[in-house]
Amino acid sequence: MANLLWLQGGACSGNTMSFLNAEEPSACDLVTDFGINILWQPSLGLELGEDVKTILKKCISGEIKLDIFVFEGTVVNAPNGTGEWNRFCGRPMKEWVKELSAAADFVVAIGDCATYGGIPAMAPNPSESVGLQFLKRAKGGSLGTDFKAKSGLPVINIPGCPAHPDWVTQILVAVATGRAGDLTLDEFHRPKTFFSSFTQTGCTRNMHFAYKVSTTAFGQRKGCLFYDLGCRGPMTHSPCNRILWNRHSSKTRAGMPCLGCTEPEFPFFDLSPGTVFKTQTVMGVPKDMPTGVDKVGYIKLTAAAKGMAPAWAEEDIFVV
């Protein structure tokens, strides 16, 4: 049996809500089928007040073995590095995070806030928020560049705003069942099993992307969302079109652009008006190119593709 403790810092609880909707496996399966003992979780724990503090202290002292420490939300350092803006069980949350991380065999950061700082860490960042081991692309975060849990692994980052529930439960199962050694992490400590491919992989609009047929309004079932609506699917590492949300759909399938929420830079352009749902271009060429494509190649490719686009590329192929 693996003991799991889950805390929240500067968070909206979105990742907890996502986690509770997991299907393969579900949150219940973690307990009944995979032997995970949830010591405490903000939405599932029965203990309150001093009883929660007792659990935390016993984990830190080793009286209770802490196999997996899960953290959701940012580590808040304000004001002036004290962390007093986010207190929990009588002390700054940042202090609990440091001590529990040191006591845990594995540390898992869930969601953009815990991984990279997310929206709270946007300039001017009044809460002085950071992720556990990153602040955007910069290594370090709250625990420091060299941090490793007792297992020898750094913080395992599962980004997203929120993270897909099945990414979370499947990684937790791998850790709890002794298969953490099979995990290969990328430069941002994301499991490559989920974050090697792009959101564009499996997108139903790939043919429209290839022929440079654009959509200009949300919810349209034809056209690519990259050329006009700021979709970041070609540059974002995630399996959102391979592992569908609720086993049914994804943002791009529903006619909404990918916002790149699994990347350290999210939210892009600091949410400046007119930038979020609009592709930024220079003389008609996107400023941010699909990964692996240079501007000269893009111009040649799109000019040829648009001229060869078949008539059916402009049709709504989903009409019943």
Side-chain angles (χ1 to χ4, degrees):
M1 178 172 288
N3 289 330
L4 180 149
L5 176 70
W6 181 314
L7 296 184
Q8 288 181 357
C12 66
S13 298
N15 287 284
T16 284
M17 289 186 278
S18 179
F19 164 72
L20 294 176
N21 282 282
E23 295 181 73
E24 293 187 3
S26 71
C28 290
D29 291 337
L30 296 183
V31 176
T32 59
D33 296 347
F34 296 103
I36 293 181
N37 176 37
I38 300 178
L39 298 171
W40 196 78
Q41 203 274 352
S43 293
L44 300 176
L46 300 178
E47 295 81 4
L48 298 171
E50 288 297 320
D51 291 335
V52 178
K53 185 186 291 187
T54 297
I55 294 174
L56 303 185
K57 288 183 175 180
K58 287 183 176 181
C59 287
I60 292 169
S61 69
E63 184 176 346
I64 295 178
K65 187 178 188 317
L66 181 55
D67 297 290
I68 308 170
F69 174 47
V70 175
F71 193 68
E72 168 186 3
T74 66
V75 178
V76 175
N77 289 298
N80 302 317
T82 64
E84 290 291 337
W85 283 9
N86 182 200
R87 291 179 63 83
F88 182 73
C89 283
R91 64 196 297 221
M93 176 63 84
K94 62 178 291 186
E95 296 178 7
W96 289 117
V97 168
K98 183 175 182 179
E99 294 178 14
L100 289 165
S101 295
D105 286 345
F106 298 92
V107 179
V108 182
I110 305 294
D112 259 22
C113 293
T115 54
Y116 317 123
I119 292 176
M122 289 171 56
N125 193 3
S127 61
E128 300 174 30
S129 283
V130 297
L132 285 186
Q133 216 165 1
F134 285 87
L135 175 57
K136 303 303 181 182
R137 280 185 175 264
K139 292 184 178 180
S142 180
L143 297 178
T145 303
D146 298 327
F147 170 81
K148 284 185 171 58
K150 286 185 174 180
S151 62
L153 286 176
V155 175
I156 300 171
N157 284 334
I158 308 178
C161 193
H164 190 294
D166 292 350
W167 306 345
V168 176
T169 55
Q170 288 177 30
I171 292 301
L172 292 180
V173 165
V175 171
T177 56
R179 291 184 290 115
D182 296 334
L183 295 178
T184 303
L185 306 181
D186 69 10
E187 60 182 317
F188 299 112
H189 302 178
R190 299 174 296 195
K192 287 187 176 181
T193 186
F194 294 126
F195 298 100
S196 290
S197 63
F198 295 92
T199 307
Q200 188 179 24
T201 307
C203 179
T204 54
R205 300 168 186 267
N206 276 336
M207 62 182 180
H208 298 109
F209 174 82
Y211 287 118
K212 204 182 178 185
V213 176
S214 182
T215 186
T216 56
F218 301 140
Q220 288 184 349
R221 294 183 292 183
K222 64 174 185 175
C224 181
L225 298 148
F226 170 73
Y227 299 109
D228 287 297
L229 296 184
C231 181
R232 303 196 64 86
M235 299 88 81
T236 298
H237 295 84
S238 92
C240 286
N241 277 304
R242 292 192 294 112
I243 303 174
L244 299 180
W245 290 75
N246 296 320
R247 292 290 173 269
H248 179 68
S249 192
S250 70
K251 292 193 71 173
T252 58
R253 294 186 185 209
M256 289 294 293
C258 166
L259 295 180
C261 74
T262 56
E263 296 294 335
E265 292 82 5
F266 175 81
F268 291 85
F269 310 114
D270 291 333
L271 299 179
S272 299
T275 65
V276 179
F277 297 115
K278 182 176 177 60
T279 301
Q280 307 301 300
T281 61
V282 176
M283 298 181 66
V285 179
K287 291 182 179 178
D288 294 333
M289 304 297 296
T291 300
V293 177
D294 60 46
K295 285 181 167 48
V296 174
Y298 173 87
I299 293 171
K300 292 178 179 178
L301 176 65
T302 53
K306 194 164 188 178
M308 297 177 63
W312 53 258
E314 297 285 356
E315 298 174 359
D316 184 350
I317 65 172
F318 294 102
V319 171
V320 177

